[in-house]
């Protein structure tokens, strides 16, 4: 694990994106109308994602535990794709990009698990960092 | 959570695949020659993945806890892509596909986290079920 | 921890109840109309409760880990009281009453945490076993 | 999860109370004389409670992880009621009332689980915030 | 992780031993008279050990999750040495020796942590399997 | 749990040592040549140890959660003994010696678990604090 004892506290923000692709319009309708038998997909996946962001250092060996000071989730539907954007903030010595990516991945997996009974063709298509601020290297991904 | 009290124990096998795309050949070389500063990427990500498969029901609300009786990880490098295949087996009343997908996702995230200091352009590209056996619906994905 | 190696597997069902008392009708309205700023209280508390049932043996020293085969949550509003009923099933050598009570308590605490910004007077009023089946001593609580 | 990046660190103290009601004087005697078969109820429940306070953000989705800097448990017996008071302190941007309430609830549940073999009528009767200091709204509950 | 899908369920018992060496008789007296400021060392370490046995597969990558059906702790004081013996039982396809050793190590570490304020010279001296039954290779260690 | 609200943040460093004794030279060779069937023992035990350091407050009741800012593992082979040295750093109000000892113990247990199929005589022989800096009492163990 990288030594960060000498680093200073700054505001760090990261946004990660995960894409969940379903196989038919009926799946999207069931989500929007809250008709998925396991429950409200957006709300339950949000709860799972909020918890997962905090568990990142329990799962990734080199990841520093840090004070998560904000987690927000944004959903957007584009055709058969659900766009998940997970933003995490901290004031600490190291960034939160892996936390944001881990949170986004668990939101996507929770959706997969909840939708499995009604759609056998769900796939997680890409998990990537959209933007990070603070630290040495600010970065904004080009649209894709 | 779906009621599975009435179901019978059968052998269930699932294989999930995650793809990690790096941005330059030097990253692949560093992995293969064990020169990544944080450690041996394949071995450490394997340890993280084995643990993560077992933690799946801690992260996904509707996922049944079950006796994981085998977890295996296979790596393959194709150009700038690392192909991760995670196989999980159980003899139980419900399948292990979500466990395999969760394991594969944590292997991919561990790689991302370990490679971040030497490659800012790593992305996780697709997490999907490759194959499952046992239960009502055997399935094999078409190559893609 | 009690030795259960000699016991036989039977279907066990337990239902626990927790009561959350809010201090004003506006709180109930905000829940019902999904206007609580932290999210949909019933859905998010359900996700937290499903996860908590599975974590019971991580928190209670003498509690046996066991295969949770069903978890269901039922909500009912009676005046200013939210009635939470959590049912858990397993086919195992020991019962699930503590799991049901732990799940109900975490649902209640999640509600408390989500409602805190809009209602300072929320209280958790009673967590008790309503009913259990299987094992030596079936039991049904008298109404109260 | 509420954004607390802009808030300042202050000393926060919270005390929560849980009441465990047993059904007969013999149960109280067994606790006081350390004759409960599963072990010393007060000491083991204390260990479980200390651990539980630290796990609060693992269970409650919106709860910020924070540096727990003190946890203390106080027990008092009043007739057939065991009064549990759990105090938590931190110097941080947000309070510890939910941590205190979660800790108190796990102390109560551990007692329930340990007493179950000798008393089938144990109930958890009320979990509430007694007092909090620091932050915008100091508060002290009226006695009840 | 070794594939155990083809194996049969048998009763497995393992006992592990850990030795904690303190540096002065006053420490032993404080433990026996329950005068250690952090609490009753034997009882709190037992609670921590019972929980730790169940968490073994969360910490050791290749360890199969399995139904812990009994955990017992035995303490013995020999001069300045505290002898901890942790016995674990399961009826499953693989043994519980690592679970017993992990449990014994956490009991020892909890003692170390609780005794630290009153004795700076505590050491953990040997963690080993004493005996195991069931499976291919029964074994009993020679006294040492 | 000791009240540390009044203490100040200083750099704290602790190094703990665990010794793993194998029973034959072939075991050492298998480790060095990466021929142990379960994987690369040094790398996988390192991953498990990095995660375990962070989980210390989840296992030890009185242990304060704190920001782990560095974890490093060093291995050395001396005859049939594997010497594990685990160093942990934080800038916080309390030390990291228990974290270092817990990490070292989990590294040792992971080795035990990975080596078990090829060597039935592995033992963990001593876990102790080697050195600590920061706080009231700097200390360096005498060689042993």
């Amino acid at each position: 694990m990288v030594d960060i004892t000498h680093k200073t506290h700054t505001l760090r923000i990261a946004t990660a994106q995960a894409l969940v692709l379903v196989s038919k319009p009926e799946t999207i309708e069931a989500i929007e109308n809250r008709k998925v038998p396991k429950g409200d997909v957006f709300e339950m996946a949000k709860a799972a994602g909020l918890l997962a962001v905090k568990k990142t250092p329990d799962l990734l060996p080199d990841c520093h535990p840090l004070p998560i000071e904000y987690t927000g989730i944004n959903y957007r539907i584009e055709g058969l794709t659900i766009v998940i954007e997970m933003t995490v903030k901290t004031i600490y010595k190291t960034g939160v990009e892996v936390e944001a990516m881990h949170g986004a991945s668990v939101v996507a997996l929770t959706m997969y698990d909840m939708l499995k009974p009604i759609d056998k063709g769900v796939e997680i298509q890409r998990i990537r960092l959209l933007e990070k601020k603070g630290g040495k290297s600010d970065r904004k991904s080009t649209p894709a």
Side-chain angles (χ1 to χ4, degrees), chain A:
Chain A
M1 183 191 274
V2 173
D3 190 338
I4 58 169
T5 50
H6 60 288
K7 300 183 80 176
T8 52
H9 287 66
T10 55
L11 174 63
R12 311 290 192 122
I13 306 176
T15 301
Q17 186 194 69
L19 306 180
V20 173
L21 179 65
V22 304
S23 73
K24 50 189 180 183
E26 289 77 4
T27 307
I28 297 294
E29 279 164 40
I31 295 170
E32 289 181 327
N33 300 324
R34 296 193 184 95
K35 298 288 186 205
V36 176
K38 287 187 174 179
D40 186 320
V41 173
F42 283 165
E43 289 295 318
M44 287 187 63
K46 175 179 150 188
L50 291 178
L51 290 166
V53 164
K54 295 182 276 187
K55 278 175 199 143
T56 308
D58 275 358
L59 289 155
L60 304 193
D62 277 286
C63 184
H64 297 88
L66 48 78
I68 303 295
E69 304 198 340
Y70 171 71
T71 305
I73 299 178
N74 194 45
Y75 297 122
R76 197 168 69 239
I77 290 173
E78 300 183 349
L80 294 180
T81 300
I82 305 161
V83 181
I84 300 156
E85 287 180 9
M86 167 76 82
T87 297
V88 181
K89 297 186 191 176
T90 190
I91 295 180
Y92 196 59
K93 301 174 169 192
T94 182
V96 280
E97 66 186 89
V98 176
E99 284 75 9
M101 288 187 68
H102 180 243
S105 80
V106 170
V107 171
L109 286 162
T110 301
M111 287 187 177
Y112 178 92
D113 182 50
M114 293 183 75
L115 296 175
K116 213 168 29 128
I118 62 167
D119 187 338
K120 300 294 177 206
V122 178
E123 243 179 63
I124 299 172
Q125 276 211 325
R126 200 175 196 183
I127 302 170
R128 64 181 183 127
L129 185 65
L130 270 197
E131 195 172 354
K132 73 178 226 192
K133 282 186 202 152
K136 266 184 307 196
S137 51
D138 272 28
R139 203 171 88 209
K140 187 155 184 150
S141 292
T142 48

